Amino acid sequence: MSRIGCLAGVFDLFHVGHVDVLERARRVCDRLVVGVLTDEWAIDAWGQRPFVPLVERVQIIEHLRCVDEVVVVDGVRPEWLTGVLGARTMFAASRLDGVLGVEELDGIPAELITVLPLGRDSRSPILRAAIDQRQSRSSVA
C-alpha cells in the first residue's frame, strides 16, 4: 500500500519556500495530495482575500512535478483526510506563510502529523513586505 501524504495551504504569493516544503513532503511519501484553501477560508483566517485568485493558485500547484493531485478545500477534517483521501500523513509547515501549521490542524490525530521545518524563504523585498503586511493583520498564516 502506498503512503499518501497531504499538505494544505493558501499558497498565495507563491515563492521558493512553498516549493521547498512541497518537495520535502513528496520525498517522504509515495503520493502527495495538495489541498489549496479557498478564498473564503483565507478571508476568515486573514480578514482579507488572497492576492492571487484561487484558480491561478491551483494551476501553479498543478504544474509542479512533486505534486500528484490538487484539490480545493475549505479546511482539513480528519474524516476527509483519512477516509476520502486515504492519507496516512498530514504535513504541517513550521512558520511558512500560507501553509497550514500544527495549530491549524485541530482534530487531526497527532500521530498523522509530520512537521516540516522551515526551509528557504523568498529574498524578494517586495514579496516579503506584502507577506509581512498581511501577517501583521492576522495571527493565522
Side-chain angles (χ1 to χ4, degrees), residues 21 62 102:
V21 77
E62 284 176 335
V102 173

Side-chain angles (χ1 to χ4, degrees), residues 6-28:
C6 182
L7 186 134
V10 177
F11 299 102
D12 192 30
L13 298 176
F14 194 81
H15 58 78
V16 70
H18 295 122
V19 174
D20 276 357
V21 77
L22 291 164
E23 287 177 342
R24 283 185 282 130
R26 182 60 176 85
R27 282 195 290 268
V28 295

Side-chain angles (χ1 to χ4, degrees), residues 81-99:
L81 182 66
T82 58
V84 176
L85 286 182
R88 296 295 170 251
T89 302
M90 180 70 205
F91 295 104
S94 174
R95 300 175 321 150
L96 179 64
D97 55 90
V99 177

Side-chain angles (χ1 to χ4, degrees), residues 11-124:
F11 299 102
D12 192 30
L13 298 176
F14 194 81
H15 58 78
V16 70
H18 295 122
V19 174
D20 276 357
V21 77
L22 291 164
E23 287 177 342
R24 283 185 282 130
R26 182 60 176 85
R27 282 195 290 268
V28 295
C29 63
D30 300 312
R31 180 174 172 74
L32 180 61
V33 178
V34 176
V36 177
L37 292 158
T38 63
D39 290 353
E40 292 74 23
W41 186 94
I43 291 167
D44 286 345
W46 295 340
Q48 64 184 14
R49 183 172 297 283
F51 292 108
V52 179
L54 177 63
V55 67
E56 292 179 23
R57 291 182 280 127
V58 168
Q59 288 174 340
I60 291 167
I61 304 297
E62 284 176 335
H63 284 86
L64 298 173
R65 285 188 301 255
C66 59
V67 175
D68 297 296
E69 182 179 353
V70 178
V71 294
V72 174
V73 296
D74 63 358
V76 178
R77 292 173 216 63
E79 64 277 1
W80 169 79
L81 182 66
T82 58
V84 176
L85 286 182
R88 296 295 170 251
T89 302
M90 180 70 205
F91 295 104
S94 174
R95 300 175 321 150
L96 179 64
D97 55 90
V99 177
L100 294 185
V102 173
E103 61 280 356
E104 287 95 27
L105 296 176
D106 281 344
I108 304 297
E111 64 271 11
L112 294 182
I113 298 173
T114 297
V115 178
L116 299 169
L118 183 64
R120 292 183 293 172
D121 209 353
S122 175
R123 291 185 181 176
S124 163

